[in-house]
Amino acid sequence: AQSGKSAEDLIPFLDLVSGLATSVGDELFQSQQMAALTQLSVLALGSQQQDVLKPVVLFLQKLLMTRVVALSEQDVSAICQAILLNFHAWPRSMNANSFKVFSALAERHEKVLLAV
């Protein structure tokens, strides 16, 4: 996105990351790339395109639910804020995904969610 690429150009990469989160989540979540992947995902939440949002929201949902990595309160807060700032502009086709990511926030990070 910052290198002049549009969010659409990232769709194959986002699909890959989402697939990895689903298939080998724990190993991915322990990798050194998590900070960059999380930051990219938070930025991508500003998109209004389902092809961008669906893999990002799935990745964040899996990340929020993991018990392998303890997310910092700051990271969870950034994710929560980005979701709250943007979900109203997401297409209706994202409603089920929105529900799941909100459920993950409420189930595993209720304290942070309520503080935001």
Side-chain angles (χ1 to χ4, degrees):
Q2 289 183 345
S3 65
K5 296 259 183 196
S6 66
E8 297 82 28
D9 294 336
L10 292 174
I11 291 170
F13 176 74
L14 296 172
D15 285 338
L16 173 65
V17 171
S18 174
L20 289 172
T22 300
S23 62
V24 296
D26 293 347
E27 291 81 7
L28 176 66
F29 299 143
Q30 292 174 341
S31 76
Q32 294 177 341
Q33 289 74 32
M34 277 312 302
L37 290 174
T38 302
Q39 185 178 18
L40 174 67
S41 296
V42 165
L43 293 172
L45 290 173
S47 175
Q48 294 181 9
Q49 297 184 22
Q50 180 179 345
D51 291 343
V52 172
L53 290 167
K54 193 169 183 176
V56 167
V57 171
L58 178 61
F59 167 74
L60 290 174
Q61 174 196 338
K62 298 290 185 186
L63 177 62
L64 290 166
M65 290 301 293
T66 188
R67 296 186 185 274
V68 174
V69 177
L71 291 173
S72 73
E73 209 168 290
Q74 181 180 357
D75 287 341
V76 175
S77 182
I79 293 167
C80 186
Q81 287 176 20
I83 291 169
L84 289 171
L85 287 171
N86 294 294
F87 84 96
H88 66 279
W90 296 348
R92 287 181 188 232
S93 57
M94 289 296 298
N95 285 353
N97 305 83
S98 300
F99 174 79
K100 290 176 185 176
V101 79
F102 275 114
S103 296
L105 277 167
E107 183 178 329
R108 298 280 291 130
H109 306 280
E110 180 181 15
K111 179 183 162 191
V112 177
L113 176 63
L114 294 176
V116 173

